[in-house]
Amino acid sequence: MEYHEQIEEIISTAKFGDLIEFSYPIGYSHWGVYDGDGYVVHFAVAEEGKFMNRVRTSLQAWFPVCGDLLLGSTKIRRMPVGEVTVPQGAHAYISNNGHAFRASDPVEMRKRRDALLDQQLTYKLLNLNCEHFATFIRYGKSVCNQIPGKAKNVECEEATETFQKIVDTGKTDENVNSEETTKNFNCEEKGDDVNSEEPYYPHYP
């Protein structure tokens, strides 16, 4: 079956919350979650464009691991299934049977999706990758079964906690750090203003 036919089959049969696996010919996969209407939500590169696509292709040729590993800051994005960038020879299909967990209620999946969509995070091969994201949306637990030497179907608690914190608070660690920096800067500015005032000398009759 040609790749475009695989995409058409996904769009015609997938349901919201299904895991979509983009299997690369070298044995690794990129993962996303079907979001209905032909769209997938996945942990993807924040900036696309021809240049980034070329960089991604080159890096995948040298170090082809789940998702967009070496491109630094990555973003959780919603896009048409057929527009997810994959290397030549990749296969795409619904893959709900590769993890030993029960799917969450769709209401809970949507809550997680809504909280995480468009969030920008740092991609970590072992502790925060595309499969961790996709399984968290579907199961509420982050799992990655394609890390060499690691047991399968074991929750990555660090990834789960990272995603769940965003769901609970709406903030990433990066956002919190940025807010703290801004807060400290504002405090310093206020301090400077106080120090710049004329000293007060009490007047005694």
Side-chain angles (χ1 to χ4, degrees):
M1 184 183 294
E2 296 294 327
Y3 185 76
H4 71 89
E5 295 175 322
Q6 298 169 27
I7 297 300
E8 291 173 359
E9 182 173 339
I10 289 173
I11 294 173
S12 64
T13 60
K15 298 178 181 179
F16 172 79
D18 282 346
L19 294 177
I20 307 301
E21 181 176 359
F22 301 88
S23 179
Y24 296 173
I26 39 66
Y28 292 94
S29 297
H30 180 58
W31 291 81
V33 181
Y34 192 70
D35 198 40
D37 299 323
Y39 280 77
V40 65
V41 178
H42 66 138
F43 198 1
V45 174
E47 297 295 336
E48 292 292 341
K50 293 181 179 179
F51 173 74
M52 292 304 294
N53 285 335
R54 287 198 297 270
V55 171
R56 181 200 305 215
T57 300
S58 299
L59 291 175
Q60 287 174 341
W62 283 100
F63 203 92
V65 182
C66 169
D68 305 299
L69 172 63
L70 299 178
L71 296 183
S73 184
T74 54
K75 190 174 184 179
I76 295 169
R77 305 179 65 208
R78 182 179 188 267
M79 63 191 303
V81 180
E83 293 184 12
V84 175
T85 303
V86 297
Q88 187 173 3
H91 296 276
Y93 44 85
I94 300 168
S95 185
N96 292 331
N97 299 320
H99 306 88
F101 298 91
R102 183 188 298 275
S104 300
D105 185 277
V107 172
E108 291 300 314
M109 292 189 208
R110 287 189 171 88
K111 179 181 177 181
R112 297 173 195 136
R113 176 208 60 189
D114 291 345
L116 293 171
L117 189 60
D118 293 328
Q119 294 284 357
Q120 192 159 314
L121 299 159
T122 300
Y123 193 102
K124 300 177 183 179
L125 170 61
L126 299 180
N127 300 315
L128 201 68
N129 63 40
C130 60
E131 190 175 355
H132 287 136
F133 164 74
T135 51
F136 176 77
I137 295 296
R138 182 169 175 82
Y139 305 115
K141 297 178 183 292
S142 293
V143 184
C144 183
N145 286 342
Q146 58 184 335
I147 300 175
K150 286 219 168 188
K152 298 185 183 302
N153 293 311
V154 175
E155 179 184 8
C156 176
E157 295 182 359
E158 180 178 337
T160 298
E161 290 174 3
T162 297
F163 292 133
Q164 189 61 53
K165 181 178 180 180
I166 298 172
V167 173
D168 293 339
T169 67
K171 298 179 181 179
T172 64
D173 289 336
E174 287 89 343
N175 288 339
V176 171
N177 292 335
S178 177
E179 289 179 0
E180 287 298 322
T181 300
T182 301
K183 180 179 179 182
N184 292 335
F185 179 73
N186 289 337
C187 288
E188 290 174 1
E189 283 190 328
K190 290 179 181 179
D192 290 341
D193 290 338
V194 172
N195 293 333
S196 65
E197 292 178 355
E198 291 295 326
Y200 170 72
Y201 298 103
H203 175 72
Y204 298 101

